[in-house]
Amino acid sequence: MTRHRPTIHDVAERAGVSVSTVSKAVNGRYGVATATVDAVMAAVAELGYESSLIASSMRSRTTGVIGVLVADFEPFSAEILKGVGEALRDTSYDLLAYSGSRGDEEGWERRSLSRLSGTLIDGAIMVTPTVVRASADVPLVAIDPHTGPADVPIVESDSYGGAREATAYLIGLGHTRIGYIAGRADLRSSIARDAGYRRALADAGIPFDPSHVGAGRYREATVREVAIEMLSAPSRPTAVFAANDVSAIAILQVAAELRLEVPRDLSIVGFDDIPEATRLPVPLTTVRQPMGRLGAAAVQMLLALMRGETPPTTHLRLPTKLVARQTTAPPRLHAGG
């Protein structure tokens, strides 16, 4: 018979104590007698439980693991994880990617951190967190955070500059009716992209039209609803800037359903430059943000904090770049009525 991997219940039974006592002992908490700790550790060694993260953390007070907390494993988060993994390649740290349940609810980071801090991870990188004042027993860094006050180091892209460049590019092609489908209203990046879009219109003397703006919130179903309404209007936009590539791809699908040819009838620009952007039947014009570098920069900040050092900067903003592909072109004369 194959011997099953020892569990905390096996350790408790062998040591003659409760599971909660084993937990306290392996986590170095107060209230456990030395003799009891010795009995637990003897059971750990005898059963081979010492190979677990919890047992090793009890011995060294560290786990050798860095956690990356994400609301969901979507393309942006996946690219961040690649950057984190690459940055950790030559270190002694392992990577734990963790997505808490109901990740779109405010405070999901607190729940995740309470489960992981102190026993499974030595530090954490939070991706698009809803709060950036999440108390934890480990150092924290946030990527593309919430709009509120932050007491942790932040890494983000120049969303304002990228959105302004994307909108100005469409204006340069001759578009004056430019729609915008926004992302999550609670993220600094989404607000900055909205501001960049509006600034570019103002710079060109184009009046802001509320009917050409909708909140997609980075949710495909919501983006589709907004896009259908916007693109079915008598005076529809001749171009649309989307707050991320996933939204832009959803708009492409809606355009096809409405028999709008891209870019002949409608130009579309996204934001991120995820791998899928180049694999579409019509490759997507988009704003490239350095997602891998965001992850790597967050790792460097976090490692400095874990060494007890102050990072060279606690707020890093990386540049973006417009990448013109095949979803953009000058508008057709009298397009959309």
Side-chain angles (χ1 to χ4, degrees):
M1 294 180 62
T2 302
R3 184 171 177 267
H4 76 279
R5 183 174 180 177
T7 67
I8 193 171
H9 296 279
D10 297 325
V11 173
E13 182 178 358
R14 183 61 57 91
V17 298
S18 67
V19 169
S20 63
T21 298
V22 173
S23 178
K24 290 178 181 179
V26 299
N27 286 295
R29 296 175 185 162
Y30 294 108
V32 182
T34 301
T36 302
V37 172
D38 291 342
V40 169
M41 287 309 299
V44 164
E46 184 178 348
L47 294 173
Y49 194 61
E50 73 274 11
S51 62
S52 72
L53 282 173
I54 293 177
S56 62
S57 69
M58 198 289 297
R59 293 193 305 274
S60 65
R61 301 299 180 190
T62 62
T63 65
V65 176
I66 285 177
V68 179
L69 312 184
V70 299
D72 190 18
F73 289 109
E74 39 73 43
F76 175 77
S77 298
E79 294 303 306
I80 294 290
L81 285 168
K82 290 179 184 177
V84 172
E86 184 64 29
L88 291 176
R89 187 181 303 278
D90 295 326
T91 73
S92 60
Y93 288 97
D94 292 326
L95 167 63
L96 172 67
Y98 185 86
S99 177
S101 59
R102 302 182 301 277
D104 59 343
E105 294 182 3
E106 184 173 338
W108 62 266
E109 310 84 353
R110 293 193 183 100
R111 293 190 296 272
S112 299
L113 287 169
S114 68
R115 293 175 180 140
L116 302 177
S117 296
T119 57
L120 292 178
I121 59 175
D122 294 334
I125 297 169
M126 303 182 296
V127 181
T128 63
T130 60
V131 293
V132 282
R133 283 189 167 175
S135 59
D137 297 329
V138 297
L140 303 174
V141 174
I143 295 177
D144 191 8
H146 181 267
T147 58
D151 55 9
V152 301
I154 290 172
V155 183
E156 60 186 350
S157 293
D158 182 9
S159 287
Y160 174 83
R164 187 175 181 181
E165 183 182 13
T167 309
Y169 171 72
L170 291 169
I171 294 170
L173 289 175
H175 295 277
T176 57
R177 299 205 305 267
I178 302 172
Y180 174 59
I181 295 187
R184 274 174 46 187
D186 65 313
L187 291 180
R188 293 162 55 102
S189 58
S190 295
I191 293 175
R193 290 169 200 177
D194 179 89
Y197 161 77
R198 293 175 186 241
R199 180 73 261 175
L201 293 180
D203 289 343
I206 299 174
F208 173 77
D209 187 344
S211 70
H212 288 167
V213 177
R217 294 182 292 174
Y218 297 144
R219 296 177 181 175
E220 184 178 354
T222 306
V223 171
R224 286 183 53 83
E225 291 176 7
V226 172
I228 289 171
E229 180 178 1
M230 185 183 296
L231 298 179
S232 299
S235 184
R236 65 167 179 82
T238 60
V240 176
F241 169 47
N244 74 350
D245 285 350
V246 173
S247 298
I249 292 170
I251 297 167
L252 275 166
Q253 294 169 347
V254 169
E257 293 166 10
L258 296 177
R259 299 181 183 276
L260 296 174
E261 185 179 338
V262 176
R264 181 172 178 268
D265 301 316
L266 179 71
S267 288
I268 300 175
V269 179
F271 201 109
D272 283 340
D273 199 21
I274 60 176
E276 290 80 359
T278 61
R279 301 171 186 162
L280 298 167
V282 184
L284 180 67
T285 295
T286 187
V287 177
R288 176 182 296 158
Q289 62 170 325
M291 294 172 285
R293 287 179 57 200
L294 289 173
V299 167
Q300 298 309 315
M301 277 189 183
L302 185 61
L303 292 177
L305 292 173
M306 291 165 60
R307 292 191 299 265
E309 303 170 1
T310 300
T313 178
T314 56
H315 186 180
L316 180 63
R317 182 179 290 119
L318 298 177
T320 58
K321 178 183 178 181
L322 179 72
V323 181
R325 296 194 179 103
Q326 297 173 26
T327 57
T328 47
R332 291 176 61 206
L333 189 61
H334 306 305

